[in-house]
Amino acid sequence: EIIARTLSGFLGAFETISIIFGAIILMNVLKQSGAMYSINKMFSGITEDARIQAVLVGFIFAGFIEGSAGFGTPAALAAPILISLGFPPLAAAAVCLIYNSTPVNPGPVGVPLITAASVVSDAVTNLGGDNSKFSHLLTIWTCIPHMIGGVFIIMTGVFVLTKVFGKNHSFKDAVPAIPFCLLTAVVLGALYIPLSIFGTTELVSMLSFIIALPILIFCAKKGILMPKKIWNFDGYAEWGDKTMSSSAVVSSVKEKEMNPLLAWLPYIVIGVLLVMTRLNVAGLKTLFTNDPCIIHIRSILGFENINWDFKILYNPGFFPFLPIALLTIPMHEMTKEAKLAITDSFRQIVGAAIALFFGVAMVNLYRYTSNTDIGISMDTARAATEYTFKNSSMLYAMARALADLFSSAYFLIAPLIGVLGAFMSGSCTVSNTLFASLQFETATLVGLSQVFIVALQSMGGAIGNMICVNNIVSVCATTGTNGNEGKLIRTNIIPCLMYACIVAIVVGILLKAGVNPMPELLK
């Protein structure tokens, strides 16, 4: 049975890897075709103020990239744009990493939150809950506290920029940009939160950031809530500051002129197709989620209760990412560049694939190991909890230890576990794969809302992106700042911990007020 569960985990991981690969190959095709170069040029001429450039490029534009691709691409793509606008490479890397946090939930086509909901689906069912309801509520109660913390993180990026990398090393230089930061938060929040409540998980990050982008560009050009005095990094090479870096930028974005509409067209088509399939326009959702569009693998290695179903056309990696990426090759008249984009994509997917394959397999073993095998007594557990964990004693043992240690204060620790998972694995999705079940089970044991605690896990996984080793190495490679990885971690660790504290406090207030989105799970 251990081998069967491991194989089941591998198959489950394949679904997530398919989405990642589809998103990455589309991104690489656009980089090599010249589309990203055309998109980059759009940002020059909006404003000369580096604080506002950081918000528009590092937060909003990179947020859209996170919503459509994710997995390390936003910071690595946005930082070179900022460098081309005059940022010191290390400053660009740091601020883009800080900003690569709020957009991570729901993230690339909703994968992090969908993964978290999928991992705990058995536990939700065993407690008499509805999985679709849990998934929807998880999206809502991840996005609301996350956006409240996001207001703080937008301003924090600017404060770090002026204090750590500015000529005067002063927080005061950031103050004039606060009104525009708050405007950014209001515009984004007005899209992000309603989409989380009334939309679908897959579209929240992608649509909210891409709709906010032209609105905020318009506001910047019209001078709405803009700083009266321009602040930038002109002459930074002569400042003689050790925090700066003047290394050459290593960027694989091909410099090729292209019509902006043609450059944006693949993303526009993908957005339309995702909306149509998720909202069941013309019955597409019904078609894609039923036979013959499902691959069934039954009774893996002869075990009747171990099965796998794969809705191939409802997987965003297979549709629409991969076909749109392939259609973009002739549409953008690519030749040798197409081969480079494809080989780069396979190279990039290897690390994420290894982590996910074995991470999901390990969690499967944790969840389904029989408690009789290791002799754990469940006499002290509530009846529903005992039913939920009867086949997952290894996970239960860890959850029981955390419950005994932190009790009702566990909500303060939950986001830090998510941060740790992202720091180790380099991905909010992998962090949720590893720890969502643990968080759910601990919440059940201590009598806290499972929706809130799993939401804190995912928020922590998103926040951990700003210090995770994979992202830092990636952005250093693309900005020519290799050797500064430790400096970036030291710069970003304080914003990371502060963001985690803010979301924990917000959820703590909700818990204190008696809010519980799914009380039926804590009967």
Side-chain angles (χ1 to χ4, degrees):
E1 185 176 353
I2 290 176
I3 297 174
R5 291 291 181 191
T6 301
L7 291 174
S8 173
F10 286 166
L11 291 170
F14 174 76
E15 299 180 40
T16 302
I17 291 167
S18 301
I19 302 173
I20 299 171
F21 181 73
I24 288 175
I25 196 170
L26 175 67
M27 177 62 61
N28 284 329
V29 165
L30 294 179
K31 286 168 70 175
Q32 294 300 325
S33 73
M36 289 312 306
Y37 177 72
S38 175
I39 292 170
N40 292 357
K41 287 186 65 178
M42 180 185 73
F43 293 102
S44 59
I46 296 173
T47 176
E48 294 181 7
D49 195 300
R51 298 163 298 188
I52 307 306
Q53 290 170 342
V55 173
L56 292 176
V57 177
F59 186 70
I60 298 296
F61 175 67
F64 163 67
I65 297 300
E66 178 65 43
S68 58
F71 300 96
T73 57
L77 189 64
I81 299 176
L82 291 179
I83 294 170
S84 70
L85 294 173
F87 278 58
L90 200 58
V95 75
C96 286
L97 285 167
I98 290 170
Y99 283 155
N100 189 29
S101 49
T102 305
V104 177
N105 273 320
V109 207
V111 170
L113 286 185
I114 292 171
T115 298
S118 175
V119 166
V120 303
S121 60
D122 288 348
V124 172
T125 302
N126 290 339
L127 288 173
D130 177 77
N131 278 314
S132 60
K133 179 182 179 182
F134 181 89
S135 180
H136 182 59
L137 289 171
L138 180 64
T139 300
I140 295 171
W141 290 108
T142 299
C143 289
I144 292 174
H146 209 44
M147 190 64 240
I148 294 172
V151 178
F152 154 81
I153 213 66
I154 296 169
M155 293 186 288
T156 297
V158 176
F159 275 95
V160 168
L161 207 60
T162 60
K163 175 65 176 177
V164 179
F165 301 101
K167 185 176 182 179
N168 300 322
H169 295 290
S170 172
F171 286 127
K172 290 182 180 179
D173 289 337
V175 173
I178 289 178
F180 191 84
C181 291
L182 293 174
L183 173 65
T184 300
V186 170
V187 171
L188 180 64
L191 297 161
Y192 182 81
I193 292 176
L195 278 170
S196 72
I197 297 172
F198 303 108
T200 62
T201 306
E202 296 96 328
L203 300 174
V204 176
S205 290
M206 182 187 292
L207 289 185
S208 58
F209 282 88
I210 195 57
I211 295 172
L213 183 60
I215 296 172
L216 291 168
I217 288 175
F218 173 82
C219 292
K221 285 187 172 182
K222 293 296 182 181
I224 299 172
L225 297 181
M226 288 283 284
K228 290 184 172 59
K229 186 177 180 181
I230 297 230
W231 183 95
N232 55 37
F233 292 101
D234 283 350
Y236 75 84
E238 301 172 2
W239 296 355
D241 197 315
K242 292 182 180 180
T243 62
M244 297 300 172
S245 170
S246 56
S247 304
V249 180
V250 181
S251 176
S252 59
V253 176
K254 186 177 180 64
E255 296 186 9
K256 178 182 174 183
E257 295 295 334
M258 181 179 293
N259 182 290
L261 179 60
L262 185 62
W264 280 102
L265 188 58
Y267 281 129
I268 294 171
V269 174
I270 282 173
V272 171
L273 290 175
L274 283 173
V275 170
M276 290 178 66
T277 54
R278 270 53 190 175
L279 300 184
N280 204 24
V281 176
L284 284 176
K285 181 177 180 178
T286 303
L287 174 65
F288 289 174
T289 54
N290 289 283
D291 289 328
C293 296
I294 303 178
I295 296 174
H296 301 283
I297 297 181
R298 297 289 183 225
S299 302
I300 297 174
L301 295 184
F303 292 91
E304 293 183 2
N305 61 327
I306 305 179
N307 306 301
W308 181 65
D309 296 315
F310 181 36
K311 300 171 185 176
I312 185 167
L313 291 181
Y314 201 66
N315 180 287
F318 280 95
F319 186 85
F321 280 126
L322 190 57
I324 295 302
L326 296 176
L327 287 171
T328 300
I329 292 173
M331 184 173 67
H332 287 181
E333 299 178 351
M334 298 175 68
T335 53
K336 295 179 181 179
E337 301 94 342
K339 181 180 178 181
L340 181 60
I342 293 170
T343 54
D344 280 352
S345 300
F346 277 104
R347 193 179 300 116
Q348 286 177 255
I349 197 64
V350 170
I354 293 172
L356 280 166
F357 273 132
F358 290 99
V360 175
M362 181 180 70
V363 171
N364 258 17
L365 295 180
Y366 280 166
R367 290 167 65 191
Y368 296 107
T369 303
S370 171
N371 61 45
T372 57
D373 292 342
I374 57 176
I376 290 179
S377 172
M378 294 189 179
D379 291 342
T380 58
R382 292 162 49 248
T385 305
E386 181 173 336
Y387 179 73
T388 305
F389 304 149
K390 68 178 182 178
N391 290 319
S392 53
S393 60
M394 293 172 70
L395 211 55
Y396 176 85
M398 291 186 284
R400 181 77 266 175
L402 288 170
D404 291 341
L405 187 60
F406 297 105
S407 189
S408 59
Y410 181 73
F411 68 91
L412 295 171
I413 305 301
L416 298 180
I417 293 175
V419 169
L420 178 63
F423 176 77
M424 293 188 305
S425 68
S427 165
C428 179
T429 299
V430 179
S431 180
N432 287 349
T433 300
L434 293 173
F435 296 125
S437 288
L438 174 67
Q439 302 268 28
F440 185 99
E441 297 178 2
T442 307
T444 306
L445 286 168
V446 298
L448 296 176
S449 166
Q450 296 95 330
V451 172
F452 283 153
I453 299 302
V454 177
L456 284 172
Q457 154 61 38
S458 195
M459 284 184 265
I463 294 164
N465 268 255
M466 67 174 79
I467 59 166
C468 83
V469 176
N470 287 14
N471 283 0
I472 286 178
V473 170
S474 174
V475 78
C476 282
T478 56
T479 57
T481 56
N482 299 62
N484 289 282
E485 290 82 1
K487 191 178 294 183
L488 286 174
I489 291 177
R490 290 192 298 274
T491 300
N492 294 354
I493 187 66
I494 294 176
C496 173
L497 295 176
M498 290 178 68
Y499 197 170
C501 287
I502 288 172
V503 296
I505 290 169
V506 171
V507 170
I509 292 171
L510 292 169
L511 289 169
K512 187 69 175 177
V515 178
N516 184 355
M518 286 189 74
E520 62 267 32
L521 299 181
L522 285 173
K523 292 177 182 177

